[in-house]
Amino acid sequence: MKWSLVASFMFHPDILRGLGVTLQLTLLSMVIGLSLGIVLAVMRLSRNRLFSTVSWLWVWFFRGVPPLVQMIFWFNLATLIPNARIGVPFTSVTFFSWDMNQVMTSFSAAILGLALTESAYAAEMIRAGIQAVPSGQVEAANALGFKSSQVTRRIVLPQALKIVLPPIGNDLISMLKFTSLVSVLATPDLLYSAQMIYARNYQTIPLLLVATVWYLVLTTLFTAVQHAVENKVNNRSIVALPRLSLLGVRAGGSK
């Protein structure tokens, strides 16, 4: 093993471009997945039967189908729907039309597969975090005349955030590793870039070690950021909570 060969490829232009694609896939998938997860968690906790059922079915489906299967499906969606259009139903009137071969690229298919899978897991984590907030805090806020939006923003979410941060951090690291699946779609991520190089020079092990080192570097950075955010949130005093609790006790005592 020539470690000098490994070092020489660490900052190869193709490797760095693949590293950038990997970061884009990771961050975009997490942002989209978490955004959908928040909506799904709220729907699941809703008293509306339709909303809670739709959320449950979404979580059940996308948590059960492997992300690689989803990515391959989305990538080949053009064979099922060659053109997507927006127009008047049951007529030839079309306002907008898209060629699915151009829209559903390997990058788009990868984002969809990763983000939809993440949305299902994020929904369950966020739902559990919200349900873990003591109901007494919400009742005290309601008794003091706080609006439901204020209760959610100032009482529920700050406490739920502390609970869901560690699993979300773990999901971020898992997402980083899941991005290696996109090499199946020939998406030029870190792993695929390494594969293309060793397909030309036959230095398979050195190039795989280069990819391994970069994955470890990114994992270490994400872990450090996760710990820093957790410490900041844990050390941050939530003023509204003790104030509400104190006022609630006084109100009860004055009655």
Side-chain angles (χ1 to χ4, degrees), residues 155-202:
I155 308 301
V156 177
L157 291 183
Q159 294 185 83
L161 182 62
K162 287 186 176 183
I163 300 171
V164 302
L165 264 180
I168 287 177
N170 290 334
D171 262 16
L172 177 62
I173 294 172
S174 296
M175 181 64 72
L176 171 65
K177 293 182 288 186
F178 278 146
T179 58
S180 62
L181 296 174
V182 306
S183 60
V184 175
L185 304 180
T187 306
D189 72 319
L190 177 59
L191 177 60
Y192 186 77
S193 298
Q195 290 175 328
M196 289 300 96
I197 295 175
Y198 71 62
R200 298 192 298 266
N201 61 15
Y202 304 104

Side-chain angles (χ1 to χ4, degrees), residues 86-175:
I86 297 177
V88 180
F90 309 111
T91 68
S92 60
V93 178
T94 300
F95 302 125
F96 302 100
S97 179
W98 299 275
D99 183 356
M100 290 303 294
N101 282 310
Q102 297 180 359
V103 173
M104 198 55 64
T105 62
S106 62
F107 188 86
S108 302
I111 290 291
L112 276 175
L114 294 172
L116 294 179
T117 299
E118 174 59 26
S119 70
Y121 286 97
E124 289 298 279
M125 290 187 297
I126 295 169
R127 179 179 67 86
I130 293 174
Q131 289 181 323
V133 176
S135 59
Q137 297 284 351
V138 178
E139 293 171 359
N142 290 331
L144 291 169
F146 279 73
K147 297 178 181 179
S148 59
S149 60
Q150 291 177 314
V151 174
T152 301
R153 187 178 67 255
R154 299 183 60 185
I155 308 301
V156 177
L157 291 183
Q159 294 185 83
L161 182 62
K162 287 186 176 183
I163 300 171
V164 302
L165 264 180
I168 287 177
N170 290 334
D171 262 16
L172 177 62
I173 294 172
S174 296
M175 181 64 72

Side-chain angles (χ1 to χ4, degrees), residues 19-242:
L19 186 64
V21 173
T22 293
L23 286 172
Q24 290 179 43
L25 288 169
T26 302
L27 298 179
L28 284 174
S29 298
M30 284 299 298
V31 169
I32 296 172
L34 288 175
S35 300
L36 288 173
I38 293 172
V39 175
L40 290 168
V42 173
M43 289 175 62
R44 183 72 182 276
L45 295 172
S46 173
R47 295 179 181 179
N48 187 302
R49 186 74 173 178
L50 177 61
F51 286 171
S52 61
T53 301
V54 170
S55 177
W56 184 88
L57 288 174
W58 181 290
V59 172
W60 167 76
F61 182 81
F62 287 108
R63 196 165 57 170
V65 180
L68 181 57
V69 175
Q70 292 185 51
M71 285 188 280
I72 296 174
F73 173 82
W74 295 121
F75 186 60
N76 291 279
L77 187 63
T79 60
L80 181 65
I81 308 175
N83 292 285
R85 73 183 188 93
I86 297 177
V88 180
F90 309 111
T91 68
S92 60
V93 178
T94 300
F95 302 125
F96 302 100
S97 179
W98 299 275
D99 183 356
M100 290 303 294
N101 282 310
Q102 297 180 359
V103 173
M104 198 55 64
T105 62
S106 62
F107 188 86
S108 302
I111 290 291
L112 276 175
L114 294 172
L116 294 179
T117 299
E118 174 59 26
S119 70
Y121 286 97
E124 289 298 279
M125 290 187 297
I126 295 169
R127 179 179 67 86
I130 293 174
Q131 289 181 323
V133 176
S135 59
Q137 297 284 351
V138 178
E139 293 171 359
N142 290 331
L144 291 169
F146 279 73
K147 297 178 181 179
S148 59
S149 60
Q150 291 177 314
V151 174
T152 301
R153 187 178 67 255
R154 299 183 60 185
I155 308 301
V156 177
L157 291 183
Q159 294 185 83
L161 182 62
K162 287 186 176 183
I163 300 171
V164 302
L165 264 180
I168 287 177
N170 290 334
D171 262 16
L172 177 62
I173 294 172
S174 296
M175 181 64 72
L176 171 65
K177 293 182 288 186
F178 278 146
T179 58
S180 62
L181 296 174
V182 306
S183 60
V184 175
L185 304 180
T187 306
D189 72 319
L190 177 59
L191 177 60
Y192 186 77
S193 298
Q195 290 175 328
M196 289 300 96
I197 295 175
Y198 71 62
R200 298 192 298 266
N201 61 15
Y202 304 104
Q203 299 293 335
T204 304
I205 298 301
L207 267 301
L208 287 178
L209 285 174
V210 168
T212 299
V213 170
W214 273 119
Y215 280 121
L216 288 173
V217 168
L218 292 178
T219 299
T220 303
L221 291 175
F222 285 170
T223 302
V225 171
Q226 175 190 350
H227 289 164
V229 172
E230 286 181 16
N231 291 333
K232 184 175 182 179
V233 171
N234 290 332
N235 293 333
R236 181 182 177 183
S237 59
I238 303 176
V239 179
L241 296 180

